Each structure stands twice: as structure tokens, then as C-alpha cells.
Amino acid sequence: MTTATVPRVTSLHVFCAVLLAAVLARPLITDALSAPVLQTAATVFVAVCVQALPFLVFGVLLSGVIAAFVSPAVLRRALPARPAAAVPVAGAAALVLPGCECASVPVARRLIGQGVPDAAALTFLLAAPAINPVVLVATAVAFPGEPRMVLARFLGSLATACALGWLWQRFGKAEWIADRARRAVPTTSGGGRWAVLAETARHDLVSAGGFLVLGACAAAVLSVLVPPEWMDALAGQVLLAVVVMAVLAVVLALCSEADAFVAASLSMLPLLPRLVFLVVGPAVDVKLIALQAGTFGRAFAVRFAPATFVVAVLCAVGSGLAVLP
């Protein structure tokens, strides 16, 4: 006697059901979207996504190429023997070996596993997603009338990475990093490099694309739901605006290839708070804290994340006051 097989509901069934419901409810959806407020929000959302998507795709492809074909041993051989001198070199290496936030954490772990000084590896972790050419070009496109914004972001992010590297060299302790992070990671064999490229690009695109949509939604909501007088008041309180934008960068956890377009959409705020948003975001956010805790241990994350937040805010404000009008 055979038992009847219970049909299993899959994601395809759910998608078809949602699609059918959307078709049946199309008149109601059309009427709702005709509201001026929703049209404005939709315009902001689409504009942010369309502008940022090419840079996001190029960035994750470049990250995949580096993960597949560039060994961290290249950077290890190029670093000076003295840790203090290796910190700025590791920061500058981000211009040659860029990567997104998600990719920089495992790369830093591999560097530590290969014997690179902790301070230099952590400097590269912070600099790679913040000052690479894709991010700088995206910032220039997002702020076409403010070329100094690119320079201010570069200086603030590089200063953050180097300052944290030197602070870790001076005050950091080896036991704060979990032993598992110090084990050497086997290198990828030549036959699997294209698979690594595809998997890395796919993972980063799905992850970063979701955060891009979240950031575009946040920009759209802020553009229509926050009263203009609130933004005017925030724009008049630069110190408060700096704190708000720094916290927003941590919570939104945007990809560094796309965050400039979200910051540019908040045109009601001065440039300095938006610069803080761009410097803090690639250095410390909720997803990075989770990744760092899982990779290097909780003892590392509870010390490194708060220190990074404070240093990033200070470096962003310093570079903004020195460069921006």
C-alpha cells in the first residue's frame, strides 16, 4: 500500500501566487501608485537604483576576479617588515586590490593566516572597500558638482584605516583575535578559479543588491515622509546631523559602491554630514560587525567596532573641514 505524497510548496509556487494576486489587484495598485507622494518616492527609489547599479555590478565582478586570481600572498610580499611601515602600504594597496566590505573580511583573515601583521591586515580590511577606484568614480558621478567630495572621502577613509592600524599595533593584543583566524587558509587550485569568481560575484551581488534596495527605500521614505522643516532644522545643526548620518550609515549597511548615490539624494543636508555617512559606512556597519565577530571572534568585534566608529567620525569631520567648502 503506497502512501500519498503531500505536495510541497516551493518558492516558485509562492512567486506564482503573488504574481496572480498582483494581476488581479492591478486596478487597486494603479490607483494607489497614482498618489503624488508615492510617485515622488518611486522616482527617488528608481533614480538611486539605476545610478548605482552599474557601479555595484562592476564592483562585485572586480571583487570576484581578485578573489579568484589574486592571492593575498602578493600583498604579503609587498609589505615592509616593520608593522608601523606596513600599515600605510596596506592602506594604499586598496587602490590596486579593491574589494567590497563582505570580501575584505575573508581577505584580511587569509592575510593574518599567512603571517601578515595584524595591524596591516586590519588596515587593508578597512581601506579596500572605501578608497578603491570603483568607489571613488561612483562618488564623483554621484556628486558631479562637488569634486572635492571625492578627495575628502579618500582622505577620510585612508586616515581611518591607517589610524586604526596604528592603534591596533600600539594597543591591540594577539589574544583578542580568535585562533581560528590565524590558521592558514588553503589557496584555490587553478581549475576552480572561474567557479570562485562566479560564486564570489553572485554572493556579493545578491548581498549588496539587497542593501542597495534597502538604501534606496530609505532615501525614498526620507524624501517624502520626513517634513522639510525637520531636514532644515537638522541642516542647521551640523553636529547633530553628523551624529544622525553616522548612525544611519551603521544601520543601513549599504555597499560602498552604491552608498554615494544614497548620500547624494539627501541634498537637503550639508556636505559634511553626508561625508561622514560615506566614511563611516564602509568601515563599520551591522553586517560588518556580524562578519567580523564570526571571523575574528567576539572579543575582537566588541573592541574593534566601537573604536572604528569613533575614529571614522573624527577622520571624516577632519577631512571635511580641511577640504570641503
Side-chain angles (χ1 to χ4, degrees), residues 140-155:
V141 173
F143 293 88
E146 299 292 345
R148 282 179 288 187
M149 194 71 169
V150 180
L151 177 60
R153 180 175 193 177
F154 173 81
L155 294 177

Side-chain angles (χ1 to χ4, degrees), residues 55-75:
F55 295 97
L56 182 61
V57 171
F58 182 74
V60 299
L61 286 176
L62 188 58
S63 175
V65 169
I66 291 172
F69 295 101
V70 180
S71 169
V74 174
L75 180 59

